[in-house]
Amino acid sequence: MPQNGPTNQSDFMIEKIKNRPINKKKLIRRTITTAAMAVMFGLIACLTFLILEPVFSNWLYPEEEPQPVVFPEESEEMEPEDMLADEEPSIQEVVESAILEDEQIQKILDYVQLDKTHYKQLYTSMADYMELLSHSMVTVTSVSSDVDWLNDTYENEGSTYGVVIATNGKEYLILTEADTIGQAESIRVTFCDGTQAVATEKQSDRQTGLAVIAVPLSQIYAETLQTIQVASLGTSNIKDVVGVPVVAMGAPLGTVGSVGYGMVASTGSPLHLVDANYKLFTTDIYGSPSSAGILFNMQGQIMGVVTEHRADRKMENAVTAIGISELRQLIENMSNGKEKIYLGISGMDVTAEAHQEMGIPYGAYVKDVQMNSPAMLAGIQSGDVIVEVNGISVENFSNYTSALLHMAEGDSLTVVIQRLSQNEYREMELSIAGEVEE
């Protein structure tokens, strides 16, 4: 039977597989899309991290807030002997505490005769004392940019004194001159060991010309932290202050780093400023009309702040200081960054003579009211006597100033005044809204 087709051969289907051609345009689009999504994802991740990282850090490791600075209250009045460091009884005390024969007294007087050796010992002791005080003193340098007549930019520097007055747990707070740092682009502080750190302005007061600047503790070397001493605020509320020995440091001679020592020579008329009066001390230290610095007592405490104001212009070269007692609350407020409240009243205390002879009630006597000030807008007039502030009795102008320093922005004072009307003083109550001093 015949067969169709070949008998000894096999038929095969041969299939050739070809790769699909690459669509280059599509590949490029996918690559670009993938890269763009990766970049977008990275940006979102970075942004999320930047936003949430501080939140989680504060939650896991909460940052401590600076502690408020509070200076301890001082006693009402101190005796001059309380301002002296503890020492052995003096020869005078020995004489007064014992009954001695004339011959013994003569021997004691012969004993206290001084020669050049004692003179050298005295100055050496004072130099050692100033060395201890220098651990509280710093040099404050302000740096600002200026342009010369060739239109070239250069740095302009100015230096002044500074004294470390407190720490809030995060910063050292330094009292210095406001004028020097007023226009500064940066502030540099040089400590007693020569190391430097950058500071920022905390608060300033244009009337007294004082400012407080802050240096973060994290910027100060550990070795330097061991050398810095915080100066304590003493008192200027001293009975018979004339004759009390003092030391002036900072720039009493007009040059930063200069020093001087002597005693309080006189207390002149108070320094009358707007909303505050300050006690002025004049010393026998010969300085510069542009002197500045800190006045220390013999216990290492700040007794006053050297000022250019003078009780008597005839004594323009005598170092003069504002008493620290009147500055204490102001410095505390500046250390805490608290704004100063302005009412616009200049005044004085009512003396016993004025009270007895003229019948003026005791209180804060208003000498002048600044034009368009909060006090004037509230109705305060020259000749008024402030006798009560926010329910607290006012016996002198410093009581009024103290009440003002405890005010915050937005607070109002309820003031009771006595005003002369038809030959007698009549009581009035006024409300004054304080403004932040510019």
Side-chain angles (χ1 to χ4, degrees):
M1 185 173 179
Q3 297 179 346
N4 294 328
T7 57
N8 297 323
Q9 296 180 358
S10 299
D11 291 334
F12 293 94
M13 288 183 68
I14 300 175
E15 184 178 277
K16 186 176 181 181
I17 301 175
K18 292 184 177 181
N19 291 329
R20 187 176 180 179
I22 298 173
N23 189 332
K24 293 183 178 180
K25 291 183 178 181
K26 192 173 182 180
L27 179 61
I28 291 172
R29 279 198 307 269
R30 287 183 177 179
T31 303
I32 294 174
T33 302
T34 303
M37 291 181 68
V39 171
M40 187 179 297
F41 176 79
L43 290 174
I44 293 173
C46 289
L47 185 61
T48 303
F49 176 78
L50 289 174
I51 294 174
L52 296 181
E53 192 274 337
V55 177
F56 284 112
S57 295
N58 291 335
W59 179 57
L60 294 173
Y61 309 102
E63 185 177 356
E64 294 184 2
E65 292 294 326
Q67 298 296 318
V69 175
V70 179
F71 295 120
E73 294 185 3
E74 62 181 37
S75 58
E76 288 299 319
E77 191 169 79
M78 296 185 68
E79 297 291 338
E81 55 268 23
D82 295 332
M83 305 302 297
L84 300 173
D86 294 334
E87 299 175 348
E88 293 295 325
S90 66
I91 298 298
Q92 181 180 356
E93 291 172 338
V94 173
V95 173
E96 292 176 350
S97 63
I99 300 175
L100 302 173
E101 299 294 338
D102 291 342
E103 184 179 348
Q104 292 175 299
I105 295 177
Q106 186 60 48
K107 288 182 179 179
I108 292 176
L109 293 177
D110 291 340
Y111 172 78
V112 298
Q113 289 181 355
L114 301 178
D115 58 20
K116 62 182 180 181
T117 302
H118 296 104
Y119 191 72
K120 179 180 178 181
Q121 289 176 348
L122 173 63
Y123 273 80
T124 301
S125 297
M126 293 305 298
D128 292 340
Y129 181 52
M130 289 182 179
E131 171 61 26
L132 292 175
L133 295 178
S134 69
H135 290 269
S136 301
M137 302 299 296
V138 301
T139 299
V140 178
T141 304
S142 64
V143 181
S144 58
S145 298
D146 208 342
V147 180
D148 61 17
W149 63 282
L150 293 175
N151 207 30
D152 293 329
T153 303
Y154 66 95
E155 283 192 345
N156 189 23
E157 294 187 355
S159 296
T160 187
Y161 78 94
V163 59
V164 182
I165 53 169
T167 178
N168 57 17
K170 294 187 64 177
E171 305 161 316
Y172 269 128
L173 301 168
I174 298 168
L175 184 69
T176 187
E177 282 190 300
D179 289 343
T180 302
I181 66 170
Q183 303 299 323
E185 296 175 1
S186 64
I187 305 171
R188 186 171 64 245
V189 171
T190 305
F191 293 99
C192 58
D193 62 352
T195 60
Q196 297 182 339
V198 176
T200 56
E201 183 178 348
K202 199 81 171 178
Q203 194 59 263
S204 62
D205 176 55
R206 61 181 178 83
Q207 283 209 109
T208 58
L210 297 176
V212 172
I213 59 177
V215 178
L217 299 179
S218 58
Q219 289 189 14
I220 305 174
Y221 295 114
E223 296 82 2
T224 303
L225 289 173
Q226 308 245 337
T227 65
I228 298 174
Q229 295 291 330
V230 176
S232 61
L233 303 189
T235 180
S236 55
N237 191 15
I238 308 167
K239 183 179 179 181
D240 300 326
V241 67
V242 175
V244 171
V246 290
V247 172
M249 298 192 68
L253 305 182
T255 304
V256 179
S258 56
V259 298
Y261 56 87
M263 67 177 183
V264 177
S266 68
T267 56
S269 302
L271 177 62
H272 296 287
L273 300 177
V274 178
D275 292 327
N277 291 336
Y278 298 102
K279 184 184 296 182
L280 284 179
F281 294 137
T282 301
T283 71
D284 64 348
I285 303 172
Y286 188 87
S288 165
S290 59
S291 57
I294 300 298
L295 206 64
F296 289 94
N297 60 25
M298 291 296 106
Q299 291 178 311
Q301 299 172 327
I302 298 176
M303 184 178 170
V305 178
V306 178
T307 177
E308 293 184 10
H309 293 284
R310 295 291 184 268
D312 189 343
R313 284 297 166 186
K314 297 178 182 178
M315 304 174 66
E316 64 177 7
N317 287 105
V319 172
T320 303
I322 298 175
I324 196 64
S325 296
E326 291 79 19
L327 290 172
R328 181 183 294 266
Q329 188 61 51
L330 174 64
I331 296 173
E332 182 179 302
N333 287 354
M334 290 195 296
S335 299
N336 292 315
K338 183 180 177 182
E339 298 280 1
K340 184 178 179 181
I341 303 301
Y342 161 76
L343 293 188
I345 296 175
S346 298
M348 58 187 295
D349 298 345
V350 176
T351 64
E353 292 80 5
H355 175 71
Q356 294 171 2
E357 297 177 8
M358 304 175 64
I360 302 176
Y362 284 114
Y365 183 82
V366 179
K367 289 179 59 180
D368 186 38
V369 182
Q370 291 199 320
M371 187 66 67
N372 296 323
S373 64
M376 174 173 281
L377 297 177
I380 298 288
Q381 300 177 7
S382 299
D384 290 345
V385 181
I386 301 173
V387 296
E388 187 178 298
V389 174
N390 288 345
I392 300 174
S393 178
V394 172
E395 298 179 358
N396 49 49
F397 200 81
S398 63
N399 292 153
Y400 158 77
T401 300
S402 178
L404 198 60
L405 289 172
H406 284 89
M407 286 183 66
E409 185 177 0
D411 290 350
S412 293
L413 280 181
T414 300
V415 178
V416 177
I417 65 170
Q418 293 277 354
R419 177 173 296 173
L420 185 62
S421 176
Q422 297 179 350
N423 296 323
E424 66 176 348
Y425 279 90
R426 299 184 179 182
E427 189 172 281
M428 297 178 61
E429 183 175 294
L430 301 173
S431 180
I432 309 177
E435 295 179 357
V436 174
E437 186 178 64
E438 296 180 358

